[in-house]
Amino acid sequence: MDYRQLSDPNAEYTMRDLSAETMGVSNSRGPRDVEITDVQTTIVDGNYPWTLVRVYTDAGLVGNGESYWGAGEREIIERMAPFLEGENPLDIDRLYEHLVQKLSGEGSIAGKAISAISGIELALHDVAGKILDVPAYQLIGGKYRDEMRMYCDCHTEDEADPDACADEAERVVDDLGYDALKFDLDVPSGHEKDRANRHLRGPEIEHKAEIVEKVTERVGDRADVAFDCHWSFSSGSAHRLADRLEEYDVWWLEDPIPPENHDVQAEVTKRTSTPITVGENVYRNHGNRRLFEEQAVDIVAPDVPRVGGMRETRKIADLADMYYVPVAMHNVSSPIGTMASIHVGASISNSLAVEYHSYELGWWSDLVEEDIIEDGYAEVPEKPGLGITLDLDAVEEHLADGAEMFDEA
């Protein structure tokens, strides 16, 4: 099915069409007179099915971006491609709002619509930087730091074994050079009675506390360690777990409860001294507003290719800064989305770190020509755009089954 040919009923009556033609915006900008000619996507089968995006221009320059992984984004991006053709890619903010408005009837408040728009937005920053010959961080305000701290999301063959987790933590610190780690706590303990009710029994809490104790004691002050719960527990269980972990040096406890109820989120955060982190399931700055106003989060964790893109994440960070909340960006992306997060992290004052989730995937770095992470840190590139060069041969080699390769420039 050709999603570019779907009808657009809203176009017949919308009062807020932000296209250049409707707005009377000219492309006559001298050497910056550039038009978008096409938008294409493909999916790479990594440790997640990464959705890569390319924005093509009549200047021969191509912007690379990435939407959040999984099903649905490719079709939505294809649906939006006609809305971008003929537009100047330098008008990033207007084009972002244009796409949000165009998809308003299809759910552009959150979810797949926003993550699809995010992928295009990343590609626009890449190609705009190439047109203007500046790195992407310069487009969103400049930089606070020359390198970005990366935290390694760690896994073992037996993630429920506290000793195995401690061994892996020590290996990642000593052998790979990371001074920031994360482990999962939503792992089976052998004490579960019912997986549906979100309730943690006492032995389950003690098992999770043992993981935290052994990992944090093993690395000591050589690394900060966070622990992820993936929205798994009830409010009471989250309270009890967070209270139990207060005696340990926990960097943060991530997503202990489901993300929908902000009131419960505020209670969980306020009732413990264990730092609580949420954000990857909260979309745009509007979605994050109550988290900060109600002091319902200690550290916010937006995912750049998911929650709105680079400029929107910058807006979230600025809103967080008004409440003195630091930002630790969630990231499960290919090198493209990862580098976009690095640029955002470099440009905001309240940045803690960017997640790296692919240390066990040997070919992750093969997708681009540049080295990205060394000894747990990523140098912020000075090359135009995102500062990375996509290796199309490597992309084609790792395409998901049935995915079609996008065109070269």
Side-chain angles (χ1 to χ4, degrees), residues 64-65 122 125-126 135-136 310 336 339-340 343 381 383-388:
N64 296 304
L122 267 61
H125 275 92
D126 189 35
M310 296 174 67
I336 297 175
M339 186 55 76
H343 277 276
K383 294 166 60 177
L386 294 180
I388 50 178

Side-chain angles (χ1 to χ4, degrees), residues 187-240:
V187 293
S189 66
H191 302 290
E192 292 82 10
K193 296 296 184 182
D194 188 330
R195 290 178 178 267
N197 60 26
R198 301 188 184 276
H199 178 71
L200 286 175
R201 300 173 62 238
E204 294 177 76
I205 289 179
E206 289 306 311
H207 171 258
K208 299 180 191 314
E210 185 180 4
I211 293 175
V212 172
E213 179 181 22
K214 292 200 171 184
V215 169
T216 55
E217 288 187 354
R218 184 73 67 87
V219 301
D221 60 5
R222 294 178 295 158
D224 294 312
V225 189
F227 296 90
D228 198 344
C229 301
H230 293 109
W231 332 284
S232 297
F233 309 132
S234 67
S235 60
S237 294
H239 289 313
R240 291 162 55 229

Side-chain angles (χ1 to χ4, degrees), residues 121-132:
E121 196 257 17
L122 267 61
L124 290 175
H125 275 92
D126 189 35
V127 74
K130 293 172 181 175
I131 294 169
L132 300 174

